[in-house]
Amino acid sequence: MAAGFFISKSVAIVAVVLGLGAAATIIALSVVYAQEKNKVTDLGTTNPGTTSTTATAASVAATTAAAEDVWDKWRLPTTLLPESYEVTLQPFLTPDANNMYIFKGNSSVVFVCVEATDLILIHSKNLNYTLQGSFHASLQAVDGSSVPSITRTWLQPTTQYLVVQLGSPLQQGQRYRLFSIFTGELADDLAGFYRSEYADESGTNRVVATTQMQAADARKAFPCFDEPAMKANFTVTLIHPSDHEAISNMPVRSTQQQQIDGNTWNITEFETTPRMSTYLLAFIVSQFTYVHNTSEDVLIRIWGRPAAITEGQGEYALQVTGPILNFFERHYNTAYPLPKSDQVGLPDFNAGAMENWGLVTYRENSLLFDDAYSSISNKERVVTVIAHELAHQWFGNLVTLRWWNDLWLNEGFASYVEYLGADSAEPSWNIKDLMVLNEVYTVMATDSLTTSHPLSFSEDEINTPAEISEVFDSIAYSKGASVLRMLSDFLTEDVFKEGLQSYLHTFAYGNTVYKDLWVHLEQAVQRNSLQLPGTISDIMDRWTLQMGFPLVTVNTLDGSVSQNHFLLDRSSVVERPSVFNYTWIVPITWMTPQSTGERQWLTNISETIPAFKVSSPNWLLLNLNVSGYFRVNYNQENWEQLLNQLSTNHEAIPVINRAQIIDDAFNLARAQYVDVTLALNTTRFLSHETQYMPWQAALNNLAYFKLMFDRSEVFGVMTKYIQQQVTPLFDHYKTITSNWTTIPSGLMDQYSEINAISTACSYGIAECQDLARDYFQQWQQNISSNPIPPNLRSSIYCSIVAMGGEEAWDFIWDRFKEAPVVSEADKLRTALTCSPVPWILNRYLQYTLDSSKIRRQDATSTINSIASNVVGQPLAWDFIRGNWRKIFTQYGGGSFSFSRLISSVTQRFSTEFELQQLEQFKADNQDIGFGSGTRALEQALERTRTNINWVNENQQKVLAWFQGETSSSSPANQMSS
């Protein structure tokens, strides 16, 4: 699953009792028992031998059993293993008499009894069963022999099981078939089998029935053994209106029409899937259209709303999908395992995308692209998300991790190779360089807190759906990607691929634990006689089984080098023990002005490496291209030589390492290893820098200063300094784009131009603000012709709203409501949070609770954006506190976006009073809790304490530094004059 707008997992709130009255009409759908599979039964009759009574999800047998009954445990027993399912589903795309959208279905699962048992436990959530006799299900032996009688069946809603109690045990080795008939709600909760809605060109509301099974919601669509290791073959049949199209993981096997209750329905049966996990199953009924091509006999289709596809918004995805599939076939040395690859852009979707096998689902903004509206970053998002999901078609889908505790390997791997796949489709972009900013440095901010966690959990730590949901965090995705990138770097990509390929070939269609990959990489190391300081397991366990990362400190006067656990707050106490005592085996690449050296390994807490002894004016630089997941500190003399090099000829230092020097220095200053003025000194050379990465590293770090100081006098002189540094960049891009009329060629250059505009406008450079005003006036005169280049829209829209009061807000709101492309709507929606007017922001916060104004999937990111506005932050905090219960129940405790929400509204907290408020918020809501935001709340408390200390220590020094740099006699002013 792609992160990005980060994964939120809505969990259904209540087991909805479907009000179906006497409901004698609920009947088995077309496919009944396997032997009747080819005779489509009339949907007006019930299954032979069933009484058509409805058992609602609320009809739970009261059990007086002991607390540790097997049905009270979250994990399935291993007594039964599923082999195949036949699932028939009929979604109703208009509401019933109770104004509820429903689906009907039946399902039979063939399982083998591994160990004699008189109990069948199968997952079921919010499904209402048509009783067969007195029971929720019926049982047969596959070979036709007699079976134990069912004595009792009931639903166990807490642990989400349908329980079937038998009169005598099932026989070991025997195959059985469990059959059930059920109804569920086709809710708009973005989980399981759900509905998505959109208005077509004529304004007519259209309903799509679609799915999101990961992690634990296949059980909302049909009863199933809903754990990733319970792989099986699935044959899906969809009964759908004849004017709708049905798609699933596999191609269509057959389709026929049938009249049911006076309406024409199609009965579409799909080919049987290979062995796969339930969470990768998908099916969609819609009136979407598609564009298609084939790549080496694989049919590729890009689906979306007809208007979007007609406008060509699927063309870019179609253009890159074939090359990316071919790249991964070579990378894995394994053919794509399925006959087709469908990719669908959905109007309502909680994650960024989902890697369902052969039917990948996306947020529209992660799949659809329109040159007239979409920026280069929208294009980058599309190609990287497609590459991420296609990487999973092998790693994750063909070979699947046994349980969610190892999720980091699945998501971290895809988050790493998405850059390789995207690079194969867009080779001129140098996109692999962006991993350092997007993954490594982003996740280090979290991983330098004591409330972080290791990549790998033990299996018994992750049990409930909420615990599973919480594992989908930046540690799993971005730290996973960062350490795998480091591993590939020190093994070399060829050795890494060799081990990866034998891993995939060995475990195809099966399940693994993370150590299985280490074994295959170790074999590749041996075959290639690679010299390492330990086994793969010895080296990598230190990076995966303990949280955090090392700070490597080197002294160039004597070549001594040491490591310690890097924490942003050095006084904080690490309570989580580590068997490795927070030491790592660290691969160190390095260079001096004269040469690049051989990789060195730091295997102890400290040692001396003679090559690291360097005398001035030479300098030493460690961790080239930031291939290692660690930070670096130097002795003062070496820092001064590096700063000197940056001020005289910055290009002598590789571009990624120019970003590294800035990012490491600012983080070392936050942790009080170096003085804050050293960090600020690393930004002086930026008045001569035009490259994206160093500028972005500086802006990321100065954003922290903005959060800490934009309510204090520091911000006045800080603004002057940033204006002074960004003006040459602004002028550079104004020149090379002929006054903003052309687009720079490369990806990085376009990003750098965007930084120039957004920094200049947001820090109040008059020429930039005039540009925004001019664009706005032109646009108002001809609404149908937007004069703003797509790359610059986010920044210019924000300036328009910030400067233009209520009139500008209303104008942008109107454009948002009619935006034809989602990426355009996203830019407008975010820009509306730039208003400095409190009542406008408060009204906008209220809109986030009204899904007719702001789509539910966008609510939390809108609140987060309002909170990042200095005027909006206290309003958003009050709003979250005042509405926590409502938000929490509306989205369910498993919604991943809670962690983002909590960290966003608290990111400016830097006073004792704010800390008290946060502690009070925790106390007030202890009874309903924080769901997947639980860990984020602890991290917010820790971060606030760190911020309080940092501001107390540094405010005066920072003020004095900015004052010095912006006075007329400052070195920066003399340099640029």
Side-chain angles (χ1 to χ4, degrees):
M1 190 185 315
F5 300 101
F6 252 63
I7 320 305
S8 31
K9 289 272 193 279
S10 289
V11 165
I13 304 129
V14 265
V16 182
V17 179
L18 294 172
L20 294 160
T25 53
I26 300 191
I27 33 72
L29 302 179
S30 68
V31 176
V32 185
Y33 292 114
Q35 58 268 45
E36 293 185 81
K37 184 151 123 19
N38 298 320
K39 307 201 300 265
V40 175
T41 53
D42 170 17
L43 272 102
T45 64
T46 54
N47 204 22
T50 57
T51 9
S52 217
T53 338
T54 304
T56 69
S59 70
V60 179
T63 63
T64 52
E68 266 311 298
D69 277 320
V70 63
W71 51 78
D72 289 325
K73 295 179 181 172
W74 288 95
R75 295 293 303 275
L76 285 166
T78 51
T79 46
L80 308 174
L81 281 182
E83 289 188 343
S84 63
Y85 294 79
E86 292 182 3
V87 182
T88 300
L89 294 166
Q90 180 179 21
F92 291 83
L93 303 180
T94 50
D96 65 10
N98 299 299
N99 205 30
M100 189 177 261
Y101 288 84
I102 65 162
F103 64 89
K104 297 177 181 180
N106 70 49
S107 156
S108 70
V109 54
V110 171
F111 58 85
V112 64
C113 176
V114 179
E115 200 180 308
T117 176
D118 61 356
L119 208 56
I120 300 170
L121 257 65
I122 189 165
H123 284 112
S124 173
K125 181 179 175 187
N126 299 5
L127 295 175
N128 304 292
Y129 289 81
T130 300
L131 295 186
Q132 302 174 55
S134 314
F135 304 118
H136 294 74
S138 57
L139 185 69
Q140 295 177 314
V142 171
D143 66 5
S145 61
S146 64
V147 293
S149 59
I150 297 176
T151 57
R152 189 162 84 97
T153 61
W154 72 94
L155 294 164
Q156 196 70 19
T158 312
T159 43
Q160 306 176 352
Y161 290 127
L162 164 58
V163 187
V164 179
Q165 178 76 62
L166 304 171
S168 58
L170 299 169
Q171 285 175 28
Q172 187 176 359
Q174 176 73 279
R175 282 174 175 69
Y176 298 91
R177 180 182 285 110
L178 187 75
F179 178 76
S180 58
I181 306 161
F182 48 86
T183 307
E185 187 190 358
L186 197 66
D188 60 355
D189 59 0
L190 312 184
F193 198 16
Y194 73 93
R195 77 175 189 279
S196 171
E197 300 182 32
Y198 65 95
D200 67 13
E201 306 90 298
S202 65
T204 309
N205 192 54
R206 302 286 180 185
V207 176
V208 177
T210 184
T211 55
Q212 169 61 30
M213 306 307 198
Q214 193 180 34
D217 284 314
R219 62 193 71 174
K220 280 185 73 195
F222 63 100
C224 54
F225 297 92
D226 199 9
E227 293 188 359
M230 296 280 184
K231 288 192 168 185
N233 306 100
F234 295 84
T235 308
V236 173
T237 301
L238 292 174
I239 302 178
H240 54 97
S242 291
D243 57 352
H244 284 59
E245 185 103 37
I247 50 177
S248 185
N249 305 78
M250 298 296 285
V252 172
R253 176 182 288 159
S254 68
T255 186
Q256 50 184 302
Q257 281 197 354
Q258 189 161 322
Q259 291 291 314
I260 302 167
D261 298 336
N263 296 315
T264 307
W265 294 77
N266 276 22
I267 296 166
T268 300
E269 185 185 340
F270 298 91
E271 300 281 356
T272 302
T273 69
R275 259 182 61 109
M276 61 182 280
S277 302
T278 48
Y279 79 87
L280 295 167
L281 209 60
F283 26 86
I284 301 176
V285 171
S286 74
Q287 290 181 304
F288 286 174
T289 52
Y290 62 87
V291 286
H292 70 102
N293 62 24
T294 54
S295 171
E296 300 183 359
D297 298 335
V298 176
L299 171 66
I300 296 167
R301 295 183 294 190
I302 312 295
W303 297 78
R305 293 176 292 107
I309 296 299
T310 305
E311 287 165 11
Q313 292 178 34
E315 296 299 335
Y316 180 63
L318 188 66
Q319 173 195 320
V320 297
T321 295
I324 291 172
L325 279 176
N326 295 341
F327 169 79
F328 283 125
E329 288 192 315
R330 295 192 303 275
H331 192 77
Y332 296 132
N333 191 23
T334 305
Y336 175 70
L338 300 177
K340 58 100 175 167
S341 174
D342 279 323
Q343 305 193 78
V344 185
L346 291 165
D348 300 280
F349 194 71
N350 227 350
M354 178 63 213
E355 68 267 20
N356 317 302
W357 218 4
L359 176 51
V360 184
T361 46
Y362 295 80
R363 268 192 190 211
E364 286 190 354
N365 64 10
S366 301
L367 183 70
L368 304 180
F369 177 82
D370 184 326
D371 265 324
Y373 292 94
S374 307
S375 67
I376 186 70
S377 67
N378 298 131
K379 197 172 201 175
E380 187 218 320
R381 173 136 185 100
V382 169
V383 73
T384 51
V385 176
I386 289 175
H388 180 104
E389 304 311 331
L390 295 181
H392 276 310
Q393 303 300 301
W394 292 263
F395 199 103
N397 299 10
L398 180 65
V399 178
T400 310
L401 288 152
R402 188 172 73 197
W403 185 243
W404 302 107
N405 60 305
D406 282 336
L407 176 87
W408 75 269
L409 185 55
N410 193 23
E411 292 301 349
F413 184 86
S415 300
Y416 165 47
V417 298
E418 74 181 54
Y419 289 89
L420 310 187
D423 180 63
S424 74
E426 294 286 0
S428 67
W429 282 6
N430 294 333
I431 196 167
K432 291 192 277 194
D433 292 358
L434 290 180
M435 273 199 77
V436 174
L437 291 174
N438 296 357
E439 315 299 335
V440 182
Y441 287 154
T442 307
V443 75
M444 278 182 167
T446 299
D447 206 22
S448 50
L449 301 174
T450 56
T451 40
S452 185
H453 64 84
L455 278 170
S456 257
F457 294 93
S458 64
E459 196 165 334
D460 55 14
E461 278 181 276
I462 310 297
N463 294 293
T464 69
E467 286 166 349
I468 293 167
S469 194
E470 208 176 353
V471 177
F472 286 80
D473 67 358
S474 63
I475 297 286
Y477 284 75
S478 298
K479 182 176 181 177
S482 302
V483 300
L484 290 167
R485 172 176 174 263
M486 173 174 70
L487 171 61
S488 177
D489 185 70
F490 72 71
L491 290 180
T492 72
E493 196 170 293
D494 287 343
V495 174
F496 185 79
K497 280 198 306 203
E498 189 183 313
L500 173 64
Q501 290 165 4
S502 73
Y503 166 85
L504 287 169
H505 295 162
T506 304
F507 296 108
Y509 305 103
N511 292 83
T512 57
V513 294
Y514 79 92
K515 288 189 168 172
D516 294 321
L517 180 59
W518 292 173
V519 168
H520 284 264
L521 290 171
E522 186 62 42
Q523 290 165 356
V525 166
Q526 303 300 333
R527 281 193 298 271
N528 288 275
S529 308
L530 200 62
Q531 293 301 304
L532 295 174
T535 63
I536 297 286
S537 188
D538 289 340
I539 296 168
M540 294 308 296
D541 284 355
R542 291 166 183 256
W543 299 94
T544 61
L545 301 181
Q546 57 184 354
M547 68 179 184
F549 57 88
L551 168 63
V552 172
T553 303
V554 62
N555 186 338
T556 56
L557 299 179
D558 59 9
S560 63
V561 57
S562 62
Q563 60 165 300
N564 64 297
H565 182 186
F566 180 81
L567 294 168
L568 273 180
D569 179 357
R570 288 170 73 182
S571 63
S572 59
V573 179
V574 178
E575 288 172 359
R576 189 187 273 270
S578 162
V579 292
F580 304 109
N581 224 3
Y582 295 102
T583 60
W584 289 264
I585 296 176
V586 189
I588 303 176
T589 51
W590 59 282
M591 70 180 285
T592 62
Q594 288 76 32
S595 65
T596 300
E598 287 281 302
R599 179 181 283 105
Q600 301 284 334
W601 288 89
L602 178 59
T603 55
N604 300 308
I605 291 178
S606 63
E607 46 197 85
T608 299
I609 298 175
F612 290 175
K613 187 175 174 182
V614 175
S615 50
S616 72
N618 290 329
W619 42 260
L620 174 70
L621 183 67
L622 300 192
N623 202 11
L624 303 186
N625 295 328
V626 193
S627 59
Y629 184 66
F630 58 92
R631 293 197 180 279
V632 184
N633 191 11
Y634 302 100
N635 51 312
Q636 190 61 35
E637 292 82 355
N638 197 62
W639 275 116
E640 282 165 11
Q641 294 307 329
L642 287 168
L643 289 173
N644 190 36
Q645 180 68 71
L646 288 174
S647 66
T648 52
N649 172 20
H650 59 273
E651 291 181 346
I653 293 173
V655 65
I656 296 179
N657 290 95
R658 302 205 291 275
Q660 174 212 20
I661 287 169
I662 294 170
D663 203 81
D664 279 353
F666 273 92
N667 280 277
L668 290 165
R670 273 183 70 183
Q672 300 182 320
Y673 283 98
V674 302
D675 196 86
V676 69
T677 56
L678 170 69
L680 290 164
N681 287 338
T682 65
T683 66
R684 279 179 172 158
F685 82 98
L686 291 174
S687 54
H688 300 281
E689 177 67 88
T690 57
Q691 288 284 329
Y692 168 68
M693 290 189 65
W695 258 106
Q696 189 59 42
L699 292 170
N700 288 345
N701 285 290
L702 289 167
Y704 177 71
F705 282 60
K706 180 176 190 293
L707 290 173
M708 292 304 100
F709 296 132
D710 64 4
R711 298 173 290 177
S712 80
E713 65 172 325
V714 174
F715 197 58
V717 275
M718 175 175 163
T719 298
K720 265 192 207 164
Y721 175 71
I722 291 178
Q723 289 177 342
Q724 181 179 295
Q725 294 300 81
V726 81
T727 297
L729 187 71
F730 182 84
D731 293 343
H732 169 78
Y733 279 100
K734 181 184 168 185
T735 305
I736 69 164
T737 62
S738 310
N739 218 359
W740 318 108
T741 56
T742 63
I743 300 174
S745 56
L747 175 81
M748 300 290 182
D749 250 1
Q750 291 183 53
Y751 279 167
S752 204
E753 180 200 19
I754 292 165
N755 272 343
I757 288 272
S758 89
T759 308
C761 276
S762 62
Y763 279 92
I765 286 182
E767 191 181 342
C768 191
Q769 296 187 329
D770 292 344
L771 180 69
R773 276 194 201 92
D774 292 347
Y775 275 136
F776 184 37
Q777 283 164 358
Q778 289 175 46
W779 196 10
Q780 283 176 302
Q781 285 154 15
N782 183 358
I783 288 172
S784 62
S785 174
N786 183 340
I788 307 163
N791 279 357
L792 307 185
R793 286 184 183 177
S794 290
S795 309
I796 299 290
Y797 291 170
C798 182
S799 291
I800 289 170
V801 171
M803 295 184 294
E806 187 181 0
E807 179 205 7
W809 200 95
D810 291 344
F811 178 86
I812 297 292
W813 175 253
D814 290 339
R815 302 294 76 74
F816 165 68
K817 287 190 295 191
E818 63 190 31
V821 181
V822 172
S823 57
E824 176 72 0
D826 285 339
K827 293 182 185 74
L828 293 159
R829 176 175 56 78
T830 306
L832 290 165
T833 68
C834 298
S835 173
V837 184
W839 72 262
I840 290 180
L841 293 172
N842 260 330
R843 180 182 66 182
Y844 199 20
L845 283 164
Q846 292 302 324
Y847 286 2
T848 64
L849 295 178
D850 178 350
S851 60
S852 70
K853 290 190 167 72
I854 298 293
R855 278 189 183 276
R856 192 180 270 205
Q857 66 179 21
D858 297 325
T860 50
S861 70
T862 306
I863 298 168
N864 295 350
S865 297
I866 292 171
S868 67
N869 171 341
V870 65
V871 179
Q873 188 271 321
L875 306 175
W877 173 228
D878 289 348
F879 176 78
I880 292 297
R881 287 189 294 173
N883 293 285
W884 183 253
R885 287 168 188 272
K886 182 172 182 179
I887 294 167
F888 191 82
T889 45
Q890 188 168 329
Y891 290 91
S895 171
F896 182 82
S897 40
F898 287 147
S899 54
R900 271 290 168 92
L901 196 56
I902 289 170
S903 65
S904 294
V905 295
T906 60
Q907 62 184 350
R908 264 191 189 79
F909 285 9
S910 54
T911 66
E912 290 292 344
F913 179 62
E914 287 164 332
L915 179 61
Q916 285 167 16
Q917 287 188 322
L918 191 52
E919 285 168 336
Q920 191 62 49
F921 173 65
K922 181 182 172 181
D924 290 347
N925 295 289
Q926 217 55 59
D927 56 331
I928 60 161
F930 304 93
S932 60
T934 307
R935 185 180 282 120
L937 182 61
E938 293 308 316
Q939 288 168 347
L941 285 160
E942 182 181 353
R943 203 176 275 126
T944 302
R945 292 184 190 104
T946 307
N947 291 347
I948 291 168
N949 295 337
W950 189 84
V951 169
N952 290 342
E953 291 272 330
N954 292 294
Q955 184 158 356
Q956 289 314 312
K957 274 189 207 171
V958 169
L959 178 63
W961 190 89
F962 281 128
Q963 284 169 335
E965 291 295 309
T966 51
S967 68
S968 55
S969 60
S970 76
N973 279 325
Q974 288 169 351
M975 249 170 79
S976 55
S977 58

